[in-house]
Amino acid sequence: MQRIIGLLAALWLAVVLSFGPAHADTAPRKVIIDDEGFALMHLMLLESDKIDVVGITTVSGNTWANRATAMALRGLEIADRPDIPVVQGATYPLLNSEALTERWEALYGKLTWKGAWMKEWAEPTVQSTPVYYGPNDPVDLPNGNPKLKPLPEVAANFMIRMVHQYPGQITIVACGPLTNLALAQRLDPQFASLVGELVYMGGSFNPHQVLDTVSAAEFAREYANSPRREFNARFDPEAASIVSHSEWRKLTVIPADPSTATQLTPDLLKRLAKAAAPDVGAFIAGMEAGFPLWDEIAAGYLLDPAIETEGEDLYVDYNTQFGPDYGDTLSWREHYQPGLGEREAHVVRAIDPKRLEAVMVNAMAQGAKRTK
């Protein structure tokens, strides 16, 4: 009898333990979004039932940090999420600058995209040219300025504070230059080891044109002669290299490679707007079509890792020598890396675009259901 009781107790314990992790997996994943604006990637994570966004940090990249902060605050108002803190981050890259970029172009040729430093395209394009601003110019957003205010804190300090408060529980999704993450790591050497996972959109390995539309071809053709160059890493190569040498528990890289098979088409915008809550849908309907789904792949991978169809574990770093390959992606398979502290990362090389689109639409539908 005692033996039977013991066996039943052991079986009961095994059943209880088996439910523990499964229950934990159903809890929303705590996420910090680090980016240079507000777009579909943010909405995917804000609207999804799987994600608990604990903060948004901003950084200069496609636009300056002050404008990115205003865009994030306004986006949260539209999404009716005033509870989420926004913290402004680095205005300038660690070493790179607009003047250095102009000097580089004079020596080595024109860059396709320069973000906050962009004044004109090198050739005619179907995409609109962004308005050029200075780093401290007043911000006046076309869809209205936010009433919400950012936290009176620095983004790097906010991230450090949050990962100490929730050790191993925070996932950081970084879709802009990695300046804030590099600063946090330099301020606190424990920082990376306390992050549950870093998923960043950046780097480029060997992208090829997949889609035949004019817009898609324009974005893909830059990789024909510079397959290792990608904007986020090129804007702040030193930060990207610091991040590549930091002791992350789990590191996932979403390079430019899978983006050439994706496009924000007018049809996709309509489907997203229809699925979303009214205010969010109206915001989405006003977005410009034609761009690849760079950042959305990072958010989609977080929501459904099965969108990945090809991946590889590689040691990744970035070139910080000021020459023709400044900011280019470096990578090695096991046994070939220099062994100078570079970290192994999982690199997502290709995705299923239709599955990604379904994830995007589903996230908007979840948000709409929650607001009813």
Side-chain angles (χ1 to χ4, degrees), residues 258-292:
S259 71
T260 59
T262 68
Q263 189 172 24
L264 184 61
T265 63
D267 175 69
L268 177 57
L269 280 173
K270 289 179 182 178
R271 286 190 284 139
L272 291 168
K274 183 178 180 180
D279 288 347
V280 173
F283 178 71
I284 292 173
M287 291 182 175
E288 183 176 1
F291 293 96

Side-chain angles (χ1 to χ4, degrees), residues 136-372:
N136 299 307
D137 286 352
V139 176
D140 190 16
L141 300 180
N143 61 350
N145 293 323
K147 296 180 180 179
L148 292 174
K149 302 296 181 183
L151 289 186
E153 193 173 5
V154 175
N157 289 340
F158 172 80
M159 287 195 219
I160 291 170
R161 178 165 63 83
M162 295 305 291
V163 300
H164 278 275
Q165 184 175 343
Y166 301 105
Q169 300 178 53
I170 299 286
T171 297
I172 298 177
V173 180
C175 292
L178 300 176
T179 316
N180 290 335
L181 296 170
L183 290 171
Q185 182 62 23
R186 283 296 186 255
L187 287 168
D188 181 4
Q190 287 186 301
F191 170 71
S193 66
L194 293 172
V195 176
E197 181 180 4
L198 170 62
V199 178
Y200 75 80
M201 192 276 134
S204 176
F205 293 80
N206 193 23
H208 294 280
Q209 181 179 340
V210 177
L211 303 178
D212 294 328
T213 63
V214 173
S215 179
E218 285 184 344
F219 282 107
R221 69 188 176 199
E222 67 176 288
Y223 302 115
N225 296 305
S226 55
R228 290 274 167 162
R229 186 177 304 144
E230 181 273 331
F231 169 73
N232 285 342
R234 178 58 181 75
F235 193 81
D236 195 342
E238 287 75 20
S241 185
I242 289 172
V243 167
S244 299
H245 289 78
S246 300
E247 296 185 359
W248 309 98
R249 297 184 183 203
K250 186 177 182 182
L251 177 60
T252 301
V253 178
I254 311 291
D257 301 51
S259 71
T260 59
T262 68
Q263 189 172 24
L264 184 61
T265 63
D267 175 69
L268 177 57
L269 280 173
K270 289 179 182 178
R271 286 190 284 139
L272 291 168
K274 183 178 180 180
D279 288 347
V280 173
F283 178 71
I284 292 173
M287 291 182 175
E288 183 176 1
F291 293 96
L293 299 173
W294 295 293
D295 299 354
E296 290 74 24
I297 297 174
Y301 179 81
L302 204 66
L303 296 174
D304 180 12
I307 68 168
E308 178 186 353
T309 58
E310 180 184 346
E312 187 175 8
D313 292 339
L314 295 169
Y315 291 87
V316 178
D317 197 0
Y318 297 89
N319 193 333
T320 58
Q321 303 300 311
F322 191 82
D325 301 324
Y326 182 54
D328 281 8
T329 307
L330 307 172
S331 63
W332 307 267
R333 290 190 173 95
E334 184 69 69
H335 306 301
Y336 291 90
Q337 71 274 21
L340 298 175
E342 54 281 329
R343 312 298 296 183
E344 188 176 40
H346 181 69
V347 179
V348 176
R349 302 295 293 265
I351 64 152
D352 179 344
K354 294 300 181 183
R355 184 158 185 153
L356 171 63
E357 292 181 9
V359 169
M360 295 171 69
V361 173
N362 184 55
M364 300 309 155
Q366 289 176 13
K369 184 179 180 180
R370 191 170 52 250
T371 57
K372 287 182 179 179

Side-chain angles (χ1 to χ4, degrees), residues 11-73:
L11 179 61
W12 175 83
L13 180 60
V15 170
V16 170
L17 290 176
S18 70
F19 279 105
H23 176 75
D25 288 344
T26 63
R29 193 171 183 177
K30 295 184 184 300
V31 169
I32 292 175
I33 303 173
D34 185 58
D35 192 35
E36 74 272 66
F38 189 91
L40 281 173
M41 177 272 295
H42 296 76
L43 290 171
M44 290 169 65
L45 299 177
L46 288 168
E47 299 293 83
S48 173
D49 294 337
K50 297 180 180 180
I51 302 297
D52 174 19
V53 178
V54 298
I56 296 176
T57 54
T58 63
V59 66
S60 291
N62 286 333
T63 189
W64 293 107
N66 64 339
R67 177 166 289 270
T69 302
M71 292 167 65
L73 291 167

